[in-house]
Amino acid sequence: MTLRLTAAFCLAALAAPTAAQNLPAPSPAISADNLTETVRTLASDQFQGRAPGTVGEERTIGYLIGRLQALGLEPGGTGGGWTQPVPLLRTRLGTPTTLQFAHGGTAQPLTFGTDIYLSTLQPVDTATVAAAPLVFVGYGVHAPERGWDDFKGADLKGKVAVFLINDPDFAAAKGEAVAGKFGGKTMTYYGRWTYKFEEASRRGAIAALIVHDTDGVGYGWNVVKAPAGENYGLVVPPEKRTSLQLQGWIAHDVADKLFADAKLDLAKLRIAARRADFRPVLLPGVTLDASIPVTQTVVQSQNVLARIPGAKRPDEVVMYGAHWDAYGEGAPDAKGRIYRAGANDDALGVAGLFEIARSFKAAPAPDRSLVFAFWTAEERGLLGSEAYAQSPVYPVEKTVANLGLDILQTAGKARDVILVGKGQGSLEDDLARLAAAQGRSVSVESLPERGLFYRADHFSMAKRGVPVLLMMGIAGASDLVAGGKEAGQKWVDDYTGQCYHQACDAWDESWNLDGAVEDIELFRQIGDELARSAKWPGWKDGSEFKAIRDTSAASRK
Ligand SMILES: [Zn+2]
């Protein structure tokens, strides 16, 4: 810890009002210097890129707890401690012993990584699929709130479900009945590959394959195959395990040929899948055979949770979240850096949470409790937050909101703030109102078809119905005070093109955190309002998460 930070804590303590009036107190401003100090520390070589299960994790957890203690927070984890255990399963597929489609007795061998890409989340030594029939399920969507069910009760047990990527209206032309039913170009959760695999498992399929399509998924086959057969999941009891032995993607041209060999026309089926009366189609006589060795390891990791108890309704929780993990060690970059330390992604979010916590501690205790969650394994698939959501320390029905910080722009003040997931929930209205009070406007994320809303830790809570808001600086071009949208776009392009998930995501002297300070302050205010009120934010009509929140409405009366 540095002298500068110690001084800041002392000043905050002196400034803390002693009167018991429970009104929002003028808070100490979010400090760019403190943010910088935290980021430089967490992104330093000492922390080795903060990969789960490494020495880097040990040091990170120790550092986080030390800072939280110094800030005067209480432990908020399981059993009264600071942490929540998150055991992770790492799997890696070896060279397949068997991997082929069979059609009427003729085998069509498949090249792993070229024709098909697979991984597993089974803790087994061999992933096996034996002569399993293939069923094309279209977009594979079950969305009661939209009157849509692609499955029509079809039995997928022991079968291979073949999906299209994105949601049913993604490729629809104007005037088609489905157009706009799934947000138009904006991706709904039904469009995400994670949803497809979850739905296949809910229906007992033995494998799930998505037909790759660069437009539909937003990236090329090179990205699909990049993990080289590796996958991460949570260690879960047998009854919670996925039914899928294998999950993955099939190359576009391979799928076309496979369907053609089965006397089916995939192009026509794509159009049929855009209709509500679509029914699953069995590929007659086609089966998948796979036998692939699996290397499995269990990695012990942890979330860190801290709390400021509410003075009046401590069981109601306003939650802030950021992920502490990054990508660990990799090949040296041009400057010889081996650690992919995630200075922006997401040491800066962690730093933001410290600043928000410091600010709350300097004010009278709020009515509701505040919980600060530092998630592990976000980069492995939102696993720390998912582990929490599966075993929440604070009941989700009384979790008022989850406010997440994951990547903030470092190019200075902006005239706007970027909204991710427009139309989902009422928190976006709070964002707009409080941004206006800062003299700023709201801009909607620039590529809603990429489904960023479903790709950060807040989403693990959204899936359980908790209203959420995400701050993600790369979601669109900020209208920067210096240089406008053009400069904002250049910052996004430079960061995503060169630094995102690379060693180049390091702290740099050129960072200007004046815009990030305003973004963090905005989230502080949103949480402050919620923590000092009895308001329950909600989901908007048409959100795929409204129904689940509604089921627990009685507990919030
Ligand atoms: Zn991140």
Side-chain angles (χ1 to χ4, degrees):
M1 195 165 297
T2 66
L3 273 177
R4 185 164 20 183
L5 279 172
T6 313
F9 294 138
C10 295
L11 284 175
L14 284 174
T18 47
Q21 58 181 26
N22 208 7
L23 292 169
S27 74
I30 305 295
S31 153
D33 284 348
N34 288 353
L35 294 173
T36 299
E37 206 60 57
T38 302
V39 170
R40 291 188 68 177
T41 304
L42 280 172
S44 69
D45 285 356
Q46 168 82 3
F47 292 85
Q48 300 187 357
R50 304 192 307 284
T54 64
V55 171
E57 161 157 2
E58 259 173 58
R59 292 178 183 164
T60 303
I61 302 294
Y63 172 78
L64 295 178
I65 294 173
R67 288 291 309 273
L68 293 163
Q69 281 172 327
L71 286 165
L73 270 65
E74 294 186 1
T78 47
W82 288 101
T83 59
Q84 175 180 40
V86 182
L88 305 170
L89 172 71
R90 180 173 63 200
T91 60
R92 189 174 195 118
L93 297 183
T95 306
T97 319
T98 311
L99 183 57
Q100 62 184 34
F101 290 129
H103 179 231
T106 314
Q108 182 200 338
L110 296 163
T111 305
F112 186 94
T114 305
D115 300 330
I116 194 166
Y117 176 79
L118 299 166
S119 68
T120 188
L121 288 174
Q122 293 289 348
V124 293
D125 294 329
T126 308
T128 310
V129 174
L134 273 69
V135 181
F136 175 66
V137 296
Y139 290 93
V141 169
H142 176 68
E145 80 286 0
R146 287 166 164 83
W148 196 277
D149 176 19
D150 284 326
F151 297 97
K152 311 284 191 306
D155 180 17
L156 293 183
K157 281 202 180 57
K159 297 183 177 134
V160 180
V162 181
F163 290 86
L164 298 174
I165 191 64
N166 217 304
D167 43 32
D169 69 352
F170 178 71
K174 260 192 196 156
E176 274 184 55
V178 71
K181 213 168 169 115
F182 290 84
K185 285 279 175 212
T186 300
M187 192 190 272
T188 65
Y189 187 49
Y190 304 111
R192 288 276 295 150
W193 56 265
T194 48
Y195 169 81
K196 317 276 181 195
F197 295 155
E198 287 165 3
E199 194 62 50
S201 172
R202 278 191 283 273
R203 293 167 189 278
I206 194 165
L209 293 173
I210 302 173
V211 179
H212 180 255
D213 154 21
T214 301
D215 287 345
V217 67
Y219 43 77
W221 182 258
N222 58 325
V223 173
V224 165
K225 69 170 192 177
E230 187 180 65
N231 206 347
Y232 283 82
L234 295 174
V235 174
V236 290
E239 69 274 11
K240 282 196 180 170
R241 264 177 221 154
T242 174
S243 71
L244 303 176
Q245 285 285 316
L246 289 164
Q247 57 192 49
W249 299 78
I250 170 170
H252 198 284
D253 51 335
V254 175
D256 281 342
K257 183 176 179 316
L258 178 74
F259 278 66
D261 287 349
K263 305 272 182 293
L264 295 169
D265 184 338
L266 185 52
K268 278 191 183 147
L269 284 171
R270 283 175 178 279
I271 295 166
R274 306 206 293 253
R275 294 171 52 106
D277 62 1
F278 169 84
R279 307 189 81 84
V281 178
L282 183 80
L283 276 70
V286 180
T287 55
L288 174 68
D289 285 288
S291 177
I292 312 181
V294 182
T295 315
Q296 33 161 331
T297 330
V298 172
V299 175
Q300 299 296 344
S301 192
Q302 299 159 95
N303 292 325
V304 173
L305 294 148
R307 177 171 174 265
I308 298 174
K312 291 188 184 157
R313 293 186 306 284
D315 59 326
E316 298 174 6
V317 165
V318 177
M319 183 180 238
Y320 286 95
H323 66 90
W324 65 252
D325 70 305
Y327 268 91
E329 200 175 319
D333 73 351
K335 291 185 182 170
R337 296 176 294 199
I338 57 167
Y339 295 122
R340 295 189 284 166
N344 191 336
D345 180 14
D346 189 26
L348 185 51
V350 168
L353 259 58
F354 286 157
E355 281 299 280
I356 291 171
R358 181 173 70 84
S359 166
F360 271 105
K361 281 301 287 181
D367 299 349
R368 290 165 156 165
S369 295
L370 288 154
V371 168
F372 297 86
F374 302 86
W375 309 118
T376 180
E378 189 272 353
E379 304 290 11
R380 310 293 192 211
L382 318 182
L383 295 177
S385 54
E386 175 63 24
Y388 177 92
Q390 286 186 13
S391 307
V393 182
Y394 310 94
V396 289
E397 58 273 17
K398 291 219 168 172
T399 301
V400 180
N402 175 284
L403 307 169
L405 298 178
D406 196 353
I407 304 179
L408 299 160
Q409 64 85 358
T410 57
K413 278 202 180 188
R415 297 187 190 91
D416 59 355
V417 57
I418 310 293
L419 168 65
V420 182
K422 183 177 166 49
Q424 285 284 4
S426 66
L427 288 168
E428 73 178 61
D429 305 326
D430 298 334
L431 180 82
R433 177 172 46 78
L434 291 166
Q438 285 183 324
R440 299 201 293 161
S441 59
V442 169
S443 298
V444 177
E445 63 188 305
S446 57
L447 293 169
E449 63 270 34
R450 296 278 168 90
L452 276 185
F453 182 78
Y454 313 101
R455 291 163 64 177
D457 289 311
H458 69 292
F459 177 59
S460 298
M461 299 298 285
K463 265 164 110 177
R464 275 75 183 188
V466 175
V468 298
L469 207 55
L470 169 68
M471 188 71 78
M472 186 179 268
I474 54 169
S478 296
D479 183 5
L480 295 174
V481 170
K485 285 263 180 203
E486 202 181 316
Q489 188 62 52
K490 183 177 178 335
W491 179 84
V492 171
D493 292 345
D494 286 352
Y495 179 78
T496 53
Q498 295 164 31
C499 297
Y500 183 55
H501 294 172
Q502 306 301 322
C504 153
D505 188 356
W507 180 80
D508 189 278
E509 271 179 26
S510 68
W511 278 24
N512 177 342
L513 292 178
D514 293 349
V517 161
E518 289 202 326
D519 286 346
I520 294 166
E521 170 61 16
L522 190 50
F523 264 38
R524 186 199 67 77
Q525 289 178 15
I526 292 169
D528 191 274
E529 270 195 10
L530 294 171
R532 294 177 202 285
S533 77
K535 245 176 31 175
W536 292 100
W539 296 96
K540 300 202 171 194
D541 288 338
S543 166
E544 56 270 48
F545 310 106
K546 188 174 191 299
I548 181 164
R549 189 62 163 177
D550 287 350
T551 60
S552 64
S555 60
R556 290 184 295 278
K557 288 272 155 60

